[in-house]
Amino acid sequence: MFTPDLPIETERLHLRAFQPADVTELHAYFGDPAVHRYLYSEAPADLDGTREVLARRQQRTALREQGDAIQLAVVLRETGQLVGEVLLIWTSEEHRQGEIGYLLNPDHRGRGYATEAARTMLALAFDRCDLHRVVGRLDARNTASAQVLTRLGMRREAHLRENEYVKGEWADEVIYAMLAREWRDRRPAAAPVAP
């Protein structure tokens, strides 16, 4: 079992568990249908739908068994504003594998926050959870997300053609991955080891 010491602080961000008071700021981006363009989910219709989403996120703070996830609020240290979220899923105990994900409010994209937060999740995965391999999966049209994974040093492993039917159309999926030894080789000397 792994439960991170929260909050985790990076240079510009505060990664913490979601709180009930986050509902309005979460709805500001998660309730936007444009944000769901490349996601499997649909935007919640109203604030009550976002409250349900938030309740699920509040429960995702530890890896107790395969399939569990740590999903953290990404908050600006300077202002305390919720700008997105980051995720680590324990996908296989036997093979020591995980998956990372991230979602940012469109108003805060293009500033490196997703890369900074996702790098912290890789540190949790490899330095604290002793995972062997971590993947990032995305819709092939989501080039901004692919750039984040590339900046993290993850390698593009596969492009699966029309492998899933999503929102009324066939979609391609791209898979990026990193091994623990690649993380150790690429991690900058100044990169913090997550608590």
Side-chain angles (χ1 to χ4, degrees):
M1 182 172 99
F2 174 70
T3 303
D5 293 329
L6 298 177
I8 300 170
E9 296 203 0
T10 68
E11 182 181 342
R12 301 175 297 164
L13 305 172
H14 189 77
L15 306 180
R16 60 162 173 77
F18 276 94
Q19 303 166 354
D22 292 329
V23 68
T24 303
E25 287 181 310
L26 176 61
H27 190 68
Y29 68 89
F30 200 76
D32 181 351
V35 168
H36 293 262
R37 180 175 179 201
Y38 299 126
L39 302 178
Y40 296 116
S41 59
E42 298 286 347
D46 56 23
L47 204 55
D48 286 336
T50 300
R51 280 190 185 91
E52 292 174 18
V53 168
L54 178 60
R56 288 191 296 273
R57 279 162 172 62
Q58 287 177 265
Q59 301 301 313
R60 301 178 98 182
T61 58
L63 303 179
R64 294 176 187 88
E65 60 185 346
Q66 179 177 304
D68 283 350
I70 297 170
Q71 193 160 14
L72 302 176
V74 176
V75 176
L76 297 180
R77 286 179 63 178
E78 189 174 298
T79 64
Q81 182 180 11
L82 173 69
V83 297
E85 57 198 71
V86 68
L87 172 75
L88 171 63
I89 305 170
W90 187 12
T91 59
S92 173
E93 180 177 4
E94 179 183 3
H95 303 293
R96 294 178 27 223
Q97 294 193 30
E99 179 179 340
I100 60 167
Y102 40 84
L103 185 62
L104 228 57
N105 182 323
D107 294 342
H108 296 279
R109 291 181 183 161
R111 298 177 189 156
Y113 297 144
T115 304
E116 190 172 329
R119 185 175 289 117
T120 301
M121 300 313 270
L122 286 175
L124 288 177
F126 293 124
D127 298 335
R128 301 289 301 175
C129 297
D130 194 32
L131 294 185
H132 172 69
R133 182 173 185 272
V134 175
V135 301
R137 301 179 311 122
L138 59 136
D139 186 304
R141 298 168 293 184
N142 193 346
T143 57
S145 187
Q147 290 171 351
V148 170
L149 297 173
T150 299
R151 281 192 296 274
L152 291 169
M154 299 179 82
R155 103 187 80 63
R156 183 175 164 151
E157 287 193 335
H159 185 133
L160 308 174
R161 301 280 181 196
E162 297 185 9
N163 70 312
E164 296 191 338
Y165 194 72
V166 181
K167 299 177 185 170
E169 65 181 329
W170 287 104
D172 290 7
E173 182 179 42
V174 176
I175 301 171
Y176 284 74
M178 178 180 275
L179 300 174
R181 68 176 171 268
E182 294 169 325
W183 167 254
R184 288 188 299 272
D185 291 345
R186 294 176 190 220
R187 184 177 58 199
V193 174

